[in-house]
Structure formats: structure tokens, C-alpha cells
Amino acid sequence: MASLQGPRAPLEFGGPLGAAGLLLLLPATMFHLLLVARSGPARLLGPPPYLPGLEVLWSPRALLLLLTWLGLQAALYLLPARKVAEGQELKDKSRLCYPINGNLIYDFFLGRELNPRICSFDFKYFCELRPGLIGWVFINLALLVQEAEQRGSPSLAMWLVNGFQLLYVGDALWHEEAILTTMDITHDGFGFMLAFGDLAWVPFTYSLQAQFLLYHPQPLGLPMAAVICLINAIGYYIFRGANSQKNTFRKNPSDPSVSGLETIPTATGRQLLVSGWWGMVRHPNYLGDLIMALAWSLPCGVSHLLPYFYVLYFTALLVHREARDERQCLQKYGRAWQEYCRRVPYRILPYIY
């Protein structure tokens, strides 16, 4: 019977043991960051100065606000006057799959169902951008307003962090259709990893710089602010340029903006870009993402490591994701991918990695 099921996909994230560890580590890390950001020392690697009681962690009003926020986003998602886009062909070739055996912890972490739906409501697609990503912006704005109330006006550093991250979220929402081609949608199931990541990790840890600035104000002069703005602009230019080039080529390879780019044919009938942004490194969008991540942390100064947690975490995340990308592309494109790797040897950072 096992031979009829085909080869089993390799386990990711360290298998069941790694999944069990991440189930505990991710929420604990999020709470640790929230606590130390409010403390005087603000030590990333040190223990939090206090642990709140259970009564502090429970608030009926906060629960009501959360449910109202999710309900509002769900209502907006279901509005009839909205654009409908076709997604990429999924790894199951658009056929439902029913796994017979599995590991409870591993399946809970990664999710067994690829695209759980009730009628037209796609839970994974809904969670990817709407509640958490928009919630991140509102948390940032609330922190900016709170700083204005405490100090008379928001600091320049707080304005920069809010502006940079608002641009990033606005870009994601403006190019929402592009998410249909991402690994989260086409490959990963909807389990704890994506649900917790989208709804809790993103809004509460990605707003860490703004939280830090509220409790630890940092002086920032105009010359340094201009340099930071330039760094963010460079990162965004690379990020948006690479993603737009890829998405345009996927939609219409004959588009004048991409028709002259060099490609490698594959056995699947698709073409691999080997010039333009995708001839510089194999994941130029990740490079732009990391440059922007640095720009978001720099307004917080260099006296504390805590605001740079996002840079460290995002570097580890993208290196891990890049390794998953490489493994899947090799399996999908075979020799064509090997040829692409030979012609574009650097993964994220030119001449280094």
C-alpha cells in the first residue's frame, strides 16, 4: 500500500520534535519581546523584569475588540464588489488530498488542509494580509498617538518607523494578487504556524520598534534621518522592482518591460528568468526586504539590541525560506534549476551569499 501513495515529502522545521519546540518557543518569544520593550533595561537576551499575573492577561474588552476587528475584516473580505483573481496551480494539482497517516503535533503546526474554506471564505488567504498586517499599522499608529500624548508630539524616529512600515503594508495590500504565488498559499498548510504568525506574531512583534521608541525615546537628527530614508528607499526599490518583474513575467512574458529578458526553458513549460533582477541573485526580493528591515531598526539607535530583533529574526527566516525554495525548485525544475544556479551563483547577497 505504501508504494501506491508515492514518495513522502521530507519533513520540514525539524519534523515533529521541531514543530513541538516552535509551538512553545514562538508564543514565549512574542510575550518576552512585549515585556522587555516596556522595561527600563530593554535587554533582548535578558529575562523580563516581571511576569504579569493572569488577571492582566485577560480582558473581556480586549477580546471584544479583537472579535470586532476580525468580524470587520471578514465582512470587508466578503464584499460582493471585489476583484477575483485566479491563483497558481497548487501542489495537489487542484485536487483535494486526504492524508491517512500523520503526526498530530507536526500536522497541527504546519496544517494538513492547504486551503480551508467555507463557501468562498478562504481562511488562509484572509489571514495572510488583512487582520494582522492592517492591525500592525493600527498598533503603530496607536503608539504614535500615545507618544504624542506623553511628550507633546511624536518623535522623528517614531514618524520614520510608522512611515516605513505603512509603506510596506500599503504595498502588500496594493499588490494583494501577488500573494497567490507565494509559498504560504501554494505550499504550506493552514496550521498553527501561519495562523499564529499572521494573527499574533506579525502585529505584535513587527511593531517592536514603535513599542521600543514609546518607552525608550531616541534622539535623531535630520542628517541621520535622511540617510535612513535613503537606505529604506534602496531596499524598497530592490524589493518592488524584483517582485514586479517576476509578477509581470508570470502574467505576460510578452510584456515589453520583460520580453527582452534572458530565460531558461524548463520541462514544465515555464521559463526561468536569468537576467534583470533575477540574474543578480536568486532571491533579490529577499535582499530588498532585509535592507528595509535594517532601515526600520536604525531610528531606534544603537544602544540596545532589542529593536534589531526583527533584522535578526527576518534574516534567519529568509535564509530558511530560501533553502525551502531551493529544494522545491530543484524538485520541480530539475536540470533547468541546476543550470540557473550555475549561472546565478549567489542566493541573496551578491558576492557573499
Side-chain angles (χ1 to χ4, degrees):
M1 291 296 294
S3 61
L4 298 177
Q5 298 176 6
R8 185 178 180 181
L11 296 178
E12 299 179 303
F13 298 97
L17 187 60
L22 289 171
L23 282 171
L24 300 175
L25 180 63
L26 290 176
T29 301
M30 186 186 74
F31 279 112
H32 172 78
L33 294 172
L34 293 174
L35 290 174
V36 297
R38 299 163 180 260
S39 69
R43 290 191 297 265
L44 174 61
L45 302 179
Y50 70 97
L51 292 176
L54 293 178
E55 69 279 359
V56 178
L57 299 177
W58 166 251
S59 167
R61 181 171 177 269
L63 177 61
L64 179 61
L65 287 173
L66 173 63
L67 295 177
T68 302
W69 174 250
L70 292 176
L72 173 63
Q73 291 300 318
L76 293 174
Y77 176 85
L78 293 172
L79 283 177
R82 68 187 194 276
K83 181 180 178 182
V84 177
E86 280 192 7
Q88 293 285 294
E89 184 180 83
L90 301 177
K91 64 178 180 179
D92 58 1
K93 305 297 182 185
S94 297
R95 298 175 185 171
L96 295 176
C97 39
Y98 299 90
I100 304 303
N101 299 304
N103 181 279
L104 179 64
I105 295 176
Y106 184 74
D107 290 342
F108 176 75
F109 180 75
L110 280 183
R112 299 184 70 173
E113 186 69 30
L114 188 64
N115 292 92
R117 284 186 165 212
I118 296 179
C119 297
S120 63
F121 190 90
D122 188 305
F123 287 91
K124 181 165 68 171
Y125 181 68
F126 167 73
C127 289
E128 275 291 307
L129 287 180
R130 297 166 187 271
L133 213 62
I134 301 174
W136 169 20
V137 170
F138 276 94
I139 289 174
N140 275 354
L141 290 174
L143 294 166
L144 183 147
V145 170
Q146 190 173 354
E147 186 183 53
E149 292 175 350
Q150 290 182 2
R151 303 188 180 101
S153 64
S155 64
L156 178 57
M158 181 70 84
W159 277 117
L160 288 188
V161 167
N162 268 259
F164 293 161
Q165 296 181 350
L166 178 62
L167 171 65
Y168 188 80
V169 173
D171 177 271
L173 296 173
W174 184 261
H175 298 279
E176 184 177 8
E177 186 177 340
I179 200 173
L180 297 175
T181 65
T182 62
M183 181 186 294
D184 289 354
I185 296 294
T186 63
H187 179 269
D188 294 335
F190 187 61
F192 176 86
M193 180 180 73
L194 287 184
F196 176 80
D198 292 338
L199 300 177
W201 184 267
V202 167
F204 292 110
T205 63
Y206 285 23
S207 60
L208 185 62
Q209 290 92 353
Q211 295 179 54
F212 174 83
L213 288 172
L214 177 64
Y215 297 100
H216 307 274
Q218 300 293 314
L220 181 64
L222 287 177
M224 187 59 189
V227 171
I228 296 173
C229 287
L230 178 61
I231 294 172
N232 191 75
I234 292 172
Y236 181 74
Y237 177 74
I238 297 172
F239 171 81
R240 176 47 36 216
N243 280 324
S244 293
Q245 190 175 77
K246 174 186 65 177
N247 295 330
T248 300
F249 184 78
R250 280 177 171 171
K251 286 182 180 179
N252 180 19
S254 301
D255 188 285
S257 64
V258 296
S259 59
L261 295 176
E262 191 177 354
T263 62
I264 297 175
T266 72
T268 65
R270 301 182 66 179
Q271 305 282 323
L272 297 177
L273 284 174
V274 74
S275 63
W277 288 109
W278 301 87
M280 180 176 68
V281 290
R282 301 204 289 268
H283 303 276
N285 50 340
Y286 292 179
L287 174 61
D289 243 330
L290 290 174
I291 294 173
M292 285 190 290
L294 176 62
W296 300 353
S297 301
L298 287 173
C300 300
V302 294
S303 60
H304 292 78
L305 182 60
L306 180 64
Y308 291 86
F309 169 81
Y310 179 78
V311 183
L312 301 174
Y313 150 75
F314 213 52
T315 299
L317 173 73
L318 292 183
V319 168
H320 179 259
R321 174 163 290 203
E322 169 270 324
R324 296 177 71 203
D325 283 339
E326 298 274 329
R327 186 167 55 249
Q328 291 172 24
C329 288
L330 179 61
Q331 183 179 6
K332 184 176 182 179
Y333 300 119
R335 292 183 179 180
W337 184 256
Q338 292 175 333
E339 172 63 15
Y340 175 63
C341 293
R342 185 188 69 80
R343 296 177 64 174
V344 185
Y346 299 103
R347 299 168 182 249
I348 298 177
L349 193 59
Y351 304 106
I352 295 178
Y353 177 75

